[in-house]
Amino acid sequence: MKTPSTSPTSSTPLRGTQPHCQTCSLNALCLPLSLKDTDMERLDDIIRRGRPIQKGQLLFQQGETFQSVFAVRTGALKTYTLASNGEEQITGFHLASELIGLSGYEADCYPLTAKALETTTVCEIPLPQLDTLADELPDLRKQLMRTMGTEIRHDQNMMLLLSKKNAEERVASFLLDISQRYQRRGFSASHFRLPMSRVDISNYLGLAVETISRVFTRFQNNELIETQGKEIILRDMDALYEMAGLVSSTHCEKHDE
Amino acid sequence: MKTPSTSPTSSTPLRGTQPHCQTCSLNALCLPLSLKDTDMERLDDIIRRGRPIQKGQLLFQQGETFQSVFAVRTGALKTYTLASNGEEQITGFHLASELIGLSGYEADCYPLTAKALETTTVCEIPLPQLDTLADELPDLRKQLMRTMGTEIRHDQNMMLLLSKKNAEERVASFLLDISQRYQRRGFSASHFRLPMSRVDISNYLGLAVETISRVFTRFQNNELIETQGKEIILRDMDALYEMAGLVSSTHCEKHDE
DNA sequence: CGTGGATTTGAATCACCTCAAAGGTCGTGG
DNA sequence: CCACGACCTTTGAGGTGATTCAAATCCACG
C-alpha cells in the first residue's frame, strides 16, 4: 500500500480488460477528443496496447528510429534530451492521457528519451497509420496540431521560467502546473502525489537538488505547502499563484493597457 | 549603405515585383517545400502579401485573436512572451523563409508577440483557408507538422541551453545556430550580420547584456570571432562547436555505446 | 554636430551551486 | 518481522559565475 487512495495514479481505468478508445475514461482528454464515433473506431483499430513498462524502463530512446507516438494510459513518464557531454535535460513529465513522441515528427529518429517514472501502460500509435488517418480525418489532424501547439506553448513557458524566474518562482510554477493537470483529470488540485523524484524536479527546473529541498522546506515553514515524501498538499494556492507569476492563465488574454 | 553586400538581409528576392510562391527563391525552404506545382498554386492563392513593416513594429501581439500564420519573406523578427510582471522572454528569432505563429494553433489568440528587428516583409496565410487546404493537401499537412516538430525540438534545445549551459556555451551555441541558418539560405556560414541587438541576444539566452558583451570581447581576445557592431566573423568555428557542445547534430544520431 | 540609445568596462554583491555529511525511506533477504 | 544496504532527501558551510549598479565610450541618425 505505498500509494494512498488519494493518489491519482492509483486509479487505473480499464485495468484487466481489453481496452478501447470508445470505453476509455480518458478519451475526453486524449487524442480521440472531438472525434466522431466512427472516426474513433478507426483510430482505435490502429492503436496497439502493450504490456506495462516498469519504473526506470525506457519507452523509446533518443536516436532510435521514429516509429510511433504514445498516449499514456496509466502511470507517468519523463522525457529528456541528452547533451553531448552526457548531461540530461528533462523536457517534460507526462501523465495519463498525454501524448508523447510527436516532437520527433519531422525527424527520422526520436529526439529525446522517454523513461517510466512508475509502472506505466501506454497506447502505441504507429506513425504510418496515424499519418494516413490524419489525412482522412480532419478532426484528428486538427487535434494533432493542437497537441503540438500546446507542446510548443509549454516549452516556451519553460524558456521563460528557466530564463527569468528564481528558485521559489520556479517551484511554485511547477507545483501549480502539476496541480492543474491533475485537476483536469478529476483529481484534487491541492492534494496529490508527485510521481517524480526531487532529482527529476531539480533537473527539470534547472536547479540543484539541494535548492529544491530548501525551497520545499521554506514553503512548509511559510505554510504554503505540506510534504510527506512524494505526497504533497498545497495549503495556500493563492500565494503560490502570486509567487509563480500566474494571475490566472499566462497567455491568451486580452491585454488592456 | 548601412548593410554591406555580405549581409544576408541585403538580398531581397522579388523586391518590387508581385511575388508568387512559384517564383519565390525561398520556396525550397518555406512552406511550399515538397508541394506539387498545382498544390503550390492553391497555397499561393490564399497568401496575402502586405506592405513592409518597419523596425520595431508589431506583426501581431500576444492576446490578439489568432487569425493568420506568417512566413518571413525578407528581414527578421523576434517573437517573445510576456510574463505577468511585464518582463519579456524572447522565444525565437525568425529569418527569411521561416514560419511564425503556428504555436497559437490551438488557442484562439496569439500566445506571443512578433516584432520586426528591421524592415521586414511577410506572406500572410489566413488560418481558415490554411486549415481547409491542410485537409486537402496531405503534403502541406505534413509540412506544417514538420514545422511544428522542428519548433518543438528547437525549444527543447533552448531548455537544455538555459538550464545546463554557462554563458560562453550559450553564446557559442547561439552564434552557430544563426550561422547554420544563414548557410541553409546560401549565405556565408562565417561572416554575417546579426539582425538583433545585444539586449535581444541577452534576453534570448537568459543572461545580462553585460555578460554578452564580456563574452564577445573574451571570444575576440581568444581569436574565436571578430565583431564590428552587428557584423560578425566566426574565425574558429571548430572551437565554437566544441564549446557549444555540438559535435555535429545534437539530436537524432544512432547512439552506440 | 549634438543627442539618445546601445555597447563596453569595472567593481561589488548575491542567488544558487558545490561539497560534505547526516537522516530517511524503501525493497530485499534472512 | 526485522536488519541491511542502496538510494533519496535534507541540512549546513563555503565558493563562484553571473548579476547589479555605475560610468565611460561608441554609434546611428536627425
Side-chain angles (χ1 to χ4, degrees), chain A residues 35-36 38-44 46 129-144, chain B residues 135 141:
Chain A
L35 288 193
K36 291 180 276 292
T38 53
D39 291 351
M40 202 189 294
E41 276 172 36
R42 297 192 57 191
L43 176 63
D44 189 64
I46 68 170
Q129 289 95 312
L130 180 66
D131 224 25
T132 307
L133 214 54
D135 284 329
E136 296 172 9
L137 308 179
D139 289 336
L140 179 64
R141 190 220 96 219
K142 287 190 185 65
Q143 183 56 29
L144 285 170
Chain B
D135 284 330
R141 191 219 95 220

Side-chain angles (χ1 to χ4, degrees), chain B residues 111-183:
Chain B
L112 38 67
T113 301
K115 182 182 276 191
L117 294 169
E118 54 195 28
T119 305
T120 295
T121 55
V122 297
C123 300
E124 177 173 2
I125 311 166
L127 185 73
Q129 290 94 313
L130 181 66
D131 224 25
T132 308
L133 214 54
D135 284 330
E136 296 172 11
L137 307 179
D139 289 337
L140 179 64
R141 191 219 95 220
K142 288 189 185 66
Q143 183 56 29
L144 285 170
M145 286 181 62
R146 266 194 289 266
T147 302
M148 295 180 88
T150 304
E151 172 74 40
I152 293 172
R153 291 196 299 283
H154 167 270
D155 292 348
Q156 295 186 340
N157 268 332
M158 283 304 292
M159 287 170 63
L160 193 149
L161 178 145
L162 292 169
S163 172
K164 296 280 184 302
K165 295 186 180 179
N166 65 26
E168 297 199 344
E169 292 165 348
R170 293 184 200 198
V171 174
S173 303
F174 169 73
L175 292 175
L176 291 171
D177 176 50
I178 299 289
S179 161
Q180 286 172 348
R181 285 154 70 184
Y182 277 144
Q183 191 168 29

